PDB file of all heavy atoms in Angstrom:
ATOM      1  N   ALA A  16      81.790 201.613 -26.119  1.00  0.00           N
ATOM      2  CA  ALA A  16      80.522 201.124 -26.705  1.00  0.00           C
ATOM      3  C   ALA A  16      80.393 201.533 -28.146  1.00  0.00           C
ATOM      4  O   ALA A  16      79.959 200.726 -28.999  1.00  0.00           O
ATOM      5  CB  ALA A  16      79.331 201.676 -25.902  1.00  0.00           C
ATOM      6  N   ARG A  17      80.790 202.740 -28.472  1.00  0.00           N
ATOM      7  CA  ARG A  17      80.737 203.191 -29.874  1.00  0.00           C
ATOM      8  C   ARG A  17      81.631 202.369 -30.769  1.00  0.00           C
ATOM      9  O   ARG A  17      81.272 201.946 -31.848  1.00  0.00           O
ATOM     10  CB  ARG A  17      81.105 204.695 -29.964  1.00  0.00           C
ATOM     11  CG  ARG A  17      80.011 205.652 -29.530  1.00  0.00           C
ATOM     12  CD  ARG A  17      80.318 207.082 -29.926  1.00  0.00           C
ATOM     13  NE  ARG A  17      81.385 207.642 -29.125  1.00  0.00           N
ATOM     14  CZ  ARG A  17      81.164 208.320 -27.984  1.00  0.00           C
ATOM     15  NH1 ARG A  17      79.931 208.505 -27.537  1.00  0.00           N
ATOM     16  NH2 ARG A  17      82.172 208.807 -27.296  1.00  0.00           N
ATOM     17  N   THR A  18      82.840 202.091 -30.279  1.00  0.00           N
ATOM     18  CA  THR A  18      83.803 201.329 -31.073  1.00  0.00           C
ATOM     19  C   THR A  18      83.394 199.884 -31.233  1.00  0.00           C
ATOM     20  O   THR A  18      83.658 199.280 -32.278  1.00  0.00           O
ATOM     21  CB  THR A  18      85.188 201.418 -30.397  1.00  0.00           C
ATOM     22  OG1 THR A  18      85.515 202.758 -30.140  1.00  0.00           O
ATOM     23  CG2 THR A  18      86.235 200.771 -31.249  1.00  0.00           C
ATOM     24  N   CYS A  19      82.720 199.335 -30.229  1.00  0.00           N
ATOM     25  CA  CYS A  19      82.381 197.885 -30.246  1.00  0.00           C
ATOM     26  C   CYS A  19      80.963 197.584 -30.745  1.00  0.00           C
ATOM     27  O   CYS A  19      80.541 196.422 -30.707  1.00  0.00           O
ATOM     28  CB  CYS A  19      82.530 197.330 -28.828  1.00  0.00           C
ATOM     29  SG  CYS A  19      84.166 197.415 -28.172  1.00  0.00           S
ATOM     30  N   SER A  20      80.242 198.571 -31.241  1.00  0.00           N
ATOM     31  CA  SER A  20      78.871 198.360 -31.653  1.00  0.00           C
ATOM     32  C   SER A  20      78.693 197.373 -32.782  1.00  0.00           C
ATOM     33  O   SER A  20      77.617 196.819 -32.983  1.00  0.00           O
ATOM     34  CB  SER A  20      78.195 199.710 -31.985  1.00  0.00           C
ATOM     35  OG  SER A  20      78.876 200.336 -33.053  1.00  0.00           O
ATOM     36  N   GLN A  21      79.770 197.160 -33.551  1.00  0.00           N
ATOM     37  CA  GLN A  21      79.714 196.189 -34.637  1.00  0.00           C
ATOM     38  C   GLN A  21      79.561 194.782 -34.116  1.00  0.00           C
ATOM     39  O   GLN A  21      78.922 193.949 -34.758  1.00  0.00           O
ATOM     40  CB  GLN A  21      80.998 196.316 -35.479  1.00  0.00           C
ATOM     41  CG  GLN A  21      81.063 195.387 -36.659  1.00  0.00           C
ATOM     42  CD  GLN A  21      82.347 195.543 -37.475  1.00  0.00           C
ATOM     43  OE1 GLN A  21      82.970 196.579 -37.385  1.00  0.00           O
ATOM     44  NE2 GLN A  21      82.740 194.544 -38.232  1.00  0.00           N
ATOM     45  N   ASP A  22      80.132 194.505 -32.947  1.00  0.00           N
ATOM     46  CA  ASP A  22      80.141 193.151 -32.402  1.00  0.00           C
ATOM     47  C   ASP A  22      79.176 192.950 -31.238  1.00  0.00           C
ATOM     48  O   ASP A  22      78.840 191.806 -30.915  1.00  0.00           O
ATOM     49  CB  ASP A  22      81.553 192.779 -31.961  1.00  0.00           C
ATOM     50  CG  ASP A  22      82.525 192.613 -33.116  1.00  0.00           C
ATOM     51  OD1 ASP A  22      82.169 191.891 -34.066  1.00  0.00           O
ATOM     52  OD2 ASP A  22      83.595 193.203 -33.062  1.00  0.00           O
ATOM     53  N   PHE A  23      78.746 194.040 -30.590  1.00  0.00           N
ATOM     54  CA  PHE A  23      77.917 193.918 -29.393  1.00  0.00           C
ATOM     55  C   PHE A  23      76.676 194.804 -29.476  1.00  0.00           C
ATOM     56  O   PHE A  23      76.706 195.858 -30.156  1.00  0.00           O
ATOM     57  CB  PHE A  23      78.691 194.297 -28.135  1.00  0.00           C
ATOM     58  CG  PHE A  23      79.904 193.467 -27.874  1.00  0.00           C
ATOM     59  CD1 PHE A  23      81.203 193.965 -28.110  1.00  0.00           C
ATOM     60  CD2 PHE A  23      79.798 192.185 -27.376  1.00  0.00           C
ATOM     61  CE1 PHE A  23      82.312 193.236 -27.876  1.00  0.00           C
ATOM     62  CE2 PHE A  23      80.901 191.437 -27.135  1.00  0.00           C
ATOM     63  CZ  PHE A  23      82.181 191.945 -27.413  1.00  0.00           C
ATOM     64  N   THR A  24      75.617 194.405 -28.781  1.00  0.00           N
ATOM     65  CA  THR A  24      74.443 195.257 -28.614  1.00  0.00           C
ATOM     66  C   THR A  24      74.468 195.776 -27.173  1.00  0.00           C
ATOM     67  O   THR A  24      74.586 194.991 -26.220  1.00  0.00           O
ATOM     68  CB  THR A  24      73.155 194.462 -28.865  1.00  0.00           C
ATOM     69  OG1 THR A  24      73.136 194.019 -30.221  1.00  0.00           O
ATOM     70  CG2 THR A  24      71.927 195.328 -28.622  1.00  0.00           C
ATOM     71  N   PHE A  25      74.335 197.082 -27.034  1.00  0.00           N
ATOM     72  CA  PHE A  25      74.395 197.722 -25.744  1.00  0.00           C
ATOM     73  C   PHE A  25      73.017 198.262 -25.354  1.00  0.00           C
ATOM     74  O   PHE A  25      72.294 198.802 -26.198  1.00  0.00           O
ATOM     75  CB  PHE A  25      75.408 198.856 -25.706  1.00  0.00           C
ATOM     76  CG  PHE A  25      76.821 198.410 -25.843  1.00  0.00           C
ATOM     77  CD1 PHE A  25      77.400 198.339 -27.125  1.00  0.00           C
ATOM     78  CD2 PHE A  25      77.581 198.052 -24.754  1.00  0.00           C
ATOM     79  CE1 PHE A  25      78.715 197.924 -27.277  1.00  0.00           C
ATOM     80  CE2 PHE A  25      78.900 197.642 -24.888  1.00  0.00           C
ATOM     81  CZ  PHE A  25      79.466 197.586 -26.177  1.00  0.00           C
ATOM     82  N   ALA A  26      72.671 198.135 -24.074  1.00  0.00           N
ATOM     83  CA  ALA A  26      71.449 198.752 -23.535  1.00  0.00           C
ATOM     84  C   ALA A  26      71.856 199.987 -22.734  1.00  0.00           C
ATOM     85  O   ALA A  26      72.946 200.040 -22.175  1.00  0.00           O
ATOM     86  CB  ALA A  26      70.719 197.770 -22.623  1.00  0.00           C
ATOM     87  N   PRO A  27      71.006 201.014 -22.717  1.00  0.00           N
ATOM     88  CA  PRO A  27      71.350 202.203 -21.928  1.00  0.00           C
ATOM     89  C   PRO A  27      71.472 201.911 -20.470  1.00  0.00           C
ATOM     90  O   PRO A  27      70.704 201.100 -19.913  1.00  0.00           O
ATOM     91  CB  PRO A  27      70.201 203.180 -22.243  1.00  0.00           C
ATOM     92  CG  PRO A  27      69.084 202.317 -22.719  1.00  0.00           C
ATOM     93  CD  PRO A  27      69.703 201.123 -23.378  1.00  0.00           C
ATOM     94  N   THR A  28      72.437 202.538 -19.813  1.00  0.00           N
ATOM     95  CA  THR A  28      72.624 202.355 -18.358  1.00  0.00           C
ATOM     96  C   THR A  28      72.343 203.637 -17.571  1.00  0.00           C
ATOM     97  O   THR A  28      72.193 203.586 -16.354  1.00  0.00           O
ATOM     98  CB  THR A  28      74.067 201.934 -18.042  1.00  0.00           C
ATOM     99  OG1 THR A  28      74.986 202.974 -18.457  1.00  0.00           O
ATOM    100  CG2 THR A  28      74.430 200.626 -18.736  1.00  0.00           C
ATOM    101  N   GLY A  29      72.299 204.776 -18.287  1.00  0.00           N
ATOM    102  CA  GLY A  29      72.160 206.064 -17.587  1.00  0.00           C
ATOM    103  C   GLY A  29      73.441 206.515 -16.903  1.00  0.00           C
ATOM    104  O   GLY A  29      73.446 207.434 -16.087  1.00  0.00           O
ATOM    105  N   GLN A  30      74.554 205.818 -17.210  1.00  0.00           N
ATOM    106  CA  GLN A  30      75.848 206.148 -16.588  1.00  0.00           C
ATOM    107  C   GLN A  30      76.920 206.264 -17.682  1.00  0.00           C
ATOM    108  O   GLN A  30      77.042 205.350 -18.514  1.00  0.00           O
ATOM    109  CB  GLN A  30      76.269 205.050 -15.617  1.00  0.00           C
ATOM    110  CG  GLN A  30      75.367 204.859 -14.428  1.00  0.00           C
ATOM    111  CD  GLN A  30      75.761 203.620 -13.621  1.00  0.00           C
ATOM    112  OE1 GLN A  30      76.094 202.599 -14.197  1.00  0.00           O
ATOM    113  NE2 GLN A  30      75.729 203.727 -12.308  1.00  0.00           N
ATOM    114  N   ASP A  31      77.703 207.329 -17.668  1.00  0.00           N
ATOM    115  CA  ASP A  31      78.803 207.425 -18.616  1.00  0.00           C
ATOM    116  C   ASP A  31      79.921 206.429 -18.282  1.00  0.00           C
ATOM    117  O   ASP A  31      80.666 206.022 -19.158  1.00  0.00           O
ATOM    118  CB  ASP A  31      79.402 208.828 -18.589  1.00  0.00           C
ATOM    119  CG  ASP A  31      78.450 209.874 -19.200  1.00  0.00           C
ATOM    120  OD1 ASP A  31      77.536 209.460 -19.947  1.00  0.00           O
ATOM    121  OD2 ASP A  31      78.647 211.088 -18.939  1.00  0.00           O
ATOM    122  N   CYS A  32      79.979 206.027 -17.005  1.00  0.00           N
ATOM    123  CA  CYS A  32      81.056 205.141 -16.553  1.00  0.00           C
ATOM    124  C   CYS A  32      80.668 203.655 -16.686  1.00  0.00           C
ATOM    125  O   CYS A  32      81.446 202.773 -16.343  1.00  0.00           O
ATOM    126  CB  CYS A  32      81.481 205.429 -15.126  1.00  0.00           C
ATOM    127  SG  CYS A  32      80.188 205.057 -13.902  1.00  0.00           S
ATOM    128  N   GLY A  33      79.410 203.370 -17.147  1.00  0.00           N
ATOM    129  CA  GLY A  33      78.944 202.000 -17.176  1.00  0.00           C
ATOM    130  C   GLY A  33      78.393 201.583 -18.525  1.00  0.00           C
ATOM    131  O   GLY A  33      77.743 202.380 -19.223  1.00  0.00           O
ATOM    132  N   LEU A  34      78.665 200.319 -18.924  1.00  0.00           N
ATOM    133  CA  LEU A  34      78.135 199.722 -20.161  1.00  0.00           C
ATOM    134  C   LEU A  34      77.387 198.460 -19.799  1.00  0.00           C
ATOM    135  O   LEU A  34      77.688 197.757 -18.840  1.00  0.00           O
ATOM    136  CB  LEU A  34      79.241 199.364 -21.095  1.00  0.00           C
ATOM    137  CG  LEU A  34      80.272 200.386 -21.547  1.00  0.00           C
ATOM    138  CD1 LEU A  34      81.328 199.712 -22.394  1.00  0.00           C
ATOM    139  CD2 LEU A  34      79.563 201.502 -22.316  1.00  0.00           C
ATOM    140  N   LEU A  35      76.358 198.129 -20.597  1.00  0.00           N
ATOM    141  CA  LEU A  35      75.638 196.883 -20.396  1.00  0.00           C
ATOM    142  C   LEU A  35      75.465 196.219 -21.781  1.00  0.00           C
ATOM    143  O   LEU A  35      74.724 196.723 -22.627  1.00  0.00           O
ATOM    144  CB  LEU A  35      74.260 197.116 -19.757  1.00  0.00           C
ATOM    145  CG  LEU A  35      73.386 195.855 -19.561  1.00  0.00           C
ATOM    146  CD1 LEU A  35      74.071 194.853 -18.641  1.00  0.00           C
ATOM    147  CD2 LEU A  35      72.006 196.273 -18.990  1.00  0.00           C
ATOM    148  N   VAL A  36      76.143 195.066 -21.970  1.00  0.00           N
ATOM    149  CA  VAL A  36      75.955 194.286 -23.193  1.00  0.00           C
ATOM    150  C   VAL A  36      74.789 193.340 -22.989  1.00  0.00           C
ATOM    151  O   VAL A  36      74.699 192.656 -21.970  1.00  0.00           O
ATOM    152  CB  VAL A  36      77.238 193.439 -23.463  1.00  0.00           C
ATOM    153  CG1 VAL A  36      77.043 192.582 -24.725  1.00  0.00           C
ATOM    154  CG2 VAL A  36      78.436 194.346 -23.663  1.00  0.00           C
ATOM    155  N   ILE A  37      73.864 193.343 -23.960  1.00  0.00           N
ATOM    156  CA  ILE A  37      72.716 192.443 -23.912  1.00  0.00           C
ATOM    157  C   ILE A  37      72.710 191.513 -25.087  1.00  0.00           C
ATOM    158  O   ILE A  37      73.105 191.913 -26.181  1.00  0.00           O
ATOM    159  CB  ILE A  37      71.381 193.214 -23.777  1.00  0.00           C
ATOM    160  CG1 ILE A  37      71.195 194.141 -25.003  1.00  0.00           C
ATOM    161  CG2 ILE A  37      71.299 194.010 -22.478  1.00  0.00           C
ATOM    162  CD1 ILE A  37      69.806 194.762 -25.098  1.00  0.00           C
ATOM    163  N   PRO A  38      72.335 190.253 -24.905  1.00  0.00           N
ATOM    164  CA  PRO A  38      72.305 189.310 -26.010  1.00  0.00           C
ATOM    165  C   PRO A  38      71.317 189.732 -27.102  1.00  0.00           C
ATOM    166  O   PRO A  38      70.199 190.171 -26.788  1.00  0.00           O
ATOM    167  CB  PRO A  38      71.864 187.989 -25.353  1.00  0.00           C
ATOM    168  CG  PRO A  38      72.149 188.176 -23.895  1.00  0.00           C
ATOM    169  CD  PRO A  38      71.948 189.623 -23.637  1.00  0.00           C
ATOM    170  N   ASP A  39      71.712 189.566 -28.330  1.00  0.00           N
ATOM    171  CA  ASP A  39      70.902 189.920 -29.491  1.00  0.00           C
ATOM    172  C   ASP A  39      71.095 188.887 -30.572  1.00  0.00           C
ATOM    173  O   ASP A  39      72.112 188.151 -30.564  1.00  0.00           O
ATOM    174  CB  ASP A  39      71.297 191.315 -29.958  1.00  0.00           C
ATOM    175  CG  ASP A  39      70.260 191.984 -30.860  1.00  0.00           C
ATOM    176  OD1 ASP A  39      69.217 191.367 -31.109  1.00  0.00           O
ATOM    177  OD2 ASP A  39      70.493 193.115 -31.308  1.00  0.00           O
ATOM    178  N   GLU A  40      70.213 188.815 -31.509  1.00  0.00           N
ATOM    179  CA  GLU A  40      70.359 187.843 -32.613  1.00  0.00           C
ATOM    180  C   GLU A  40      71.600 188.171 -33.420  1.00  0.00           C
ATOM    181  O   GLU A  40      71.810 189.288 -33.859  1.00  0.00           O
ATOM    182  CB  GLU A  40      69.120 187.890 -33.508  1.00  0.00           C
ATOM    183  CG  GLU A  40      69.098 186.750 -34.528  1.00  0.00           C
ATOM    184  CD  GLU A  40      67.780 186.691 -35.300  1.00  0.00           C
ATOM    185  OE1 GLU A  40      67.073 187.728 -35.359  1.00  0.00           O
ATOM    186  OE2 GLU A  40      67.450 185.633 -35.832  1.00  0.00           O
ATOM    187  N   GLY A  41      72.459 187.162 -33.597  1.00  0.00           N
ATOM    188  CA  GLY A  41      73.696 187.392 -34.324  1.00  0.00           C
ATOM    189  C   GLY A  41      74.800 188.027 -33.491  1.00  0.00           C
ATOM    190  O   GLY A  41      75.949 188.111 -33.906  1.00  0.00           O
ATOM    191  N   LYS A  42      74.448 188.501 -32.298  1.00  0.00           N
ATOM    192  CA  LYS A  42      75.409 189.104 -31.372  1.00  0.00           C
ATOM    193  C   LYS A  42      75.025 188.590 -29.959  1.00  0.00           C
ATOM    194  O   LYS A  42      74.666 189.334 -29.080  1.00  0.00           O
ATOM    195  CB  LYS A  42      75.356 190.614 -31.367  1.00  0.00           C
ATOM    196  CG  LYS A  42      75.650 191.253 -32.732  1.00  0.00           C
ATOM    197  CD  LYS A  42      75.481 192.797 -32.584  1.00  0.00           C
ATOM    198  CE  LYS A  42      75.704 193.514 -33.904  1.00  0.00           C
ATOM    199  NZ  LYS A  42      75.563 194.979 -33.757  1.00  0.00           N
ATOM    200  N   ALA A  43      75.104 187.268 -29.823  1.00  0.00           N
ATOM    201  CA  ALA A  43      74.566 186.632 -28.617  1.00  0.00           C
ATOM    202  C   ALA A  43      75.524 186.676 -27.412  1.00  0.00           C
ATOM    203  O   ALA A  43      75.677 185.699 -26.704  1.00  0.00           O
ATOM    204  CB  ALA A  43      74.215 185.159 -28.940  1.00  0.00           C
ATOM    205  N   TRP A  44      76.159 187.844 -27.243  1.00  0.00           N
ATOM    206  CA  TRP A  44      77.109 188.012 -26.147  1.00  0.00           C
ATOM    207  C   TRP A  44      76.421 188.678 -24.942  1.00  0.00           C
ATOM    208  O   TRP A  44      75.522 189.453 -25.089  1.00  0.00           O
ATOM    209  CB  TRP A  44      78.277 188.870 -26.606  1.00  0.00           C
ATOM    210  CG  TRP A  44      78.838 188.463 -27.916  1.00  0.00           C
ATOM    211  CD1 TRP A  44      78.769 189.149 -29.088  1.00  0.00           C
ATOM    212  CD2 TRP A  44      79.491 187.246 -28.240  1.00  0.00           C
ATOM    213  NE1 TRP A  44      79.386 188.453 -30.115  1.00  0.00           N
ATOM    214  CE2 TRP A  44      79.844 187.253 -29.609  1.00  0.00           C
ATOM    215  CE3 TRP A  44      79.856 186.103 -27.498  1.00  0.00           C
ATOM    216  CZ2 TRP A  44      80.521 186.236 -30.250  1.00  0.00           C
ATOM    217  CZ3 TRP A  44      80.529 185.063 -28.117  1.00  0.00           C
ATOM    218  CH2 TRP A  44      80.867 185.161 -29.476  1.00  0.00           C
ATOM    219  N   GLY A  45      76.951 188.378 -23.774  1.00  0.00           N
ATOM    220  CA  GLY A  45      76.397 188.974 -22.587  1.00  0.00           C
ATOM    221  C   GLY A  45      75.393 188.030 -21.896  1.00  0.00           C
ATOM    222  O   GLY A  45      75.257 186.868 -22.320  1.00  0.00           O
ATOM    223  N   PRO A  46      74.673 188.516 -20.892  1.00  0.00           N
ATOM    224  CA  PRO A  46      74.742 189.886 -20.343  1.00  0.00           C
ATOM    225  C   PRO A  46      76.105 190.122 -19.718  1.00  0.00           C
ATOM    226  O   PRO A  46      76.739 189.258 -19.169  1.00  0.00           O
ATOM    227  CB  PRO A  46      73.662 189.915 -19.264  1.00  0.00           C
ATOM    228  CG  PRO A  46      72.826 188.670 -19.470  1.00  0.00           C
ATOM    229  CD  PRO A  46      73.685 187.703 -20.169  1.00  0.00           C
ATOM    230  N   MET A  47      76.541 191.384 -19.840  1.00  0.00           N
ATOM    231  CA  MET A  47      77.802 191.815 -19.201  1.00  0.00           C
ATOM    232  C   MET A  47      77.723 193.310 -18.872  1.00  0.00           C
ATOM    233  O   MET A  47      77.587 194.101 -19.763  1.00  0.00           O
ATOM    234  CB  MET A  47      79.005 191.520 -20.091  1.00  0.00           C
ATOM    235  CG  MET A  47      80.332 191.923 -19.538  1.00  0.00           C
ATOM    236  SD  MET A  47      80.859 191.082 -18.006  1.00  0.00           S
ATOM    237  CE  MET A  47      80.850 189.370 -18.513  1.00  0.00           C
ATOM    238  N   TYR A  48      77.806 193.591 -17.575  1.00  0.00           N
ATOM    239  CA  TYR A  48      77.838 194.982 -17.132  1.00  0.00           C
ATOM    240  C   TYR A  48      79.298 195.316 -16.773  1.00  0.00           C
ATOM    241  O   TYR A  48      79.974 194.523 -16.127  1.00  0.00           O
ATOM    242  CB  TYR A  48      76.946 195.205 -15.903  1.00  0.00           C
ATOM    243  CG  TYR A  48      77.033 196.570 -15.297  1.00  0.00           C
ATOM    244  CD1 TYR A  48      76.439 197.658 -15.909  1.00  0.00           C
ATOM    245  CD2 TYR A  48      77.763 196.796 -14.122  1.00  0.00           C
ATOM    246  CE1 TYR A  48      76.509 198.960 -15.342  1.00  0.00           C
ATOM    247  CE2 TYR A  48      77.854 198.053 -13.577  1.00  0.00           C
ATOM    248  CZ  TYR A  48      77.218 199.127 -14.189  1.00  0.00           C
ATOM    249  OH  TYR A  48      77.311 200.383 -13.619  1.00  0.00           O
ATOM    250  N   VAL A  49      79.762 196.495 -17.218  1.00  0.00           N
ATOM    251  CA  VAL A  49      81.106 196.943 -16.927  1.00  0.00           C
ATOM    252  C   VAL A  49      81.096 198.375 -16.471  1.00  0.00           C
ATOM    253  O   VAL A  49      80.472 199.216 -17.103  1.00  0.00           O
ATOM    254  CB  VAL A  49      81.999 196.875 -18.204  1.00  0.00           C
ATOM    255  CG1 VAL A  49      83.449 197.241 -17.868  1.00  0.00           C
ATOM    256  CG2 VAL A  49      81.943 195.487 -18.855  1.00  0.00           C
ATOM    257  N   ALA A  50      81.718 198.666 -15.353  1.00  0.00           N
ATOM    258  CA  ALA A  50      81.856 200.044 -14.877  1.00  0.00           C
ATOM    259  C   ALA A  50      83.299 200.330 -14.539  1.00  0.00           C
ATOM    260  O   ALA A  50      84.030 199.445 -14.035  1.00  0.00           O
ATOM    261  CB  ALA A  50      80.962 200.282 -13.649  1.00  0.00           C
TER     262      ALA A  50
END
């Protein structure tokens, strides 16, 4: 998540093993949850 923050917007998941990409203006990717 830290490395990809330039291209994606992440929402908190409360899990170190999980990421959640949420669509944002200019970064309209996702939703995508990855664990």
Side-chain angles (χ1 to χ4, degrees):
R17 282 193 288 269
T18 307
C19 298
S20 59
Q21 181 179 339
D22 291 311
F23 300 105
T24 297
F25 293 92
T28 62
Q30 296 172 319
D31 290 342
C32 67
L34 304 176
L35 178 61
V36 178
I37 58 172
D39 198 1
E40 190 173 21
K42 301 177 183 180
W44 313 113
M47 179 63 59
Y48 174 77
V49 184

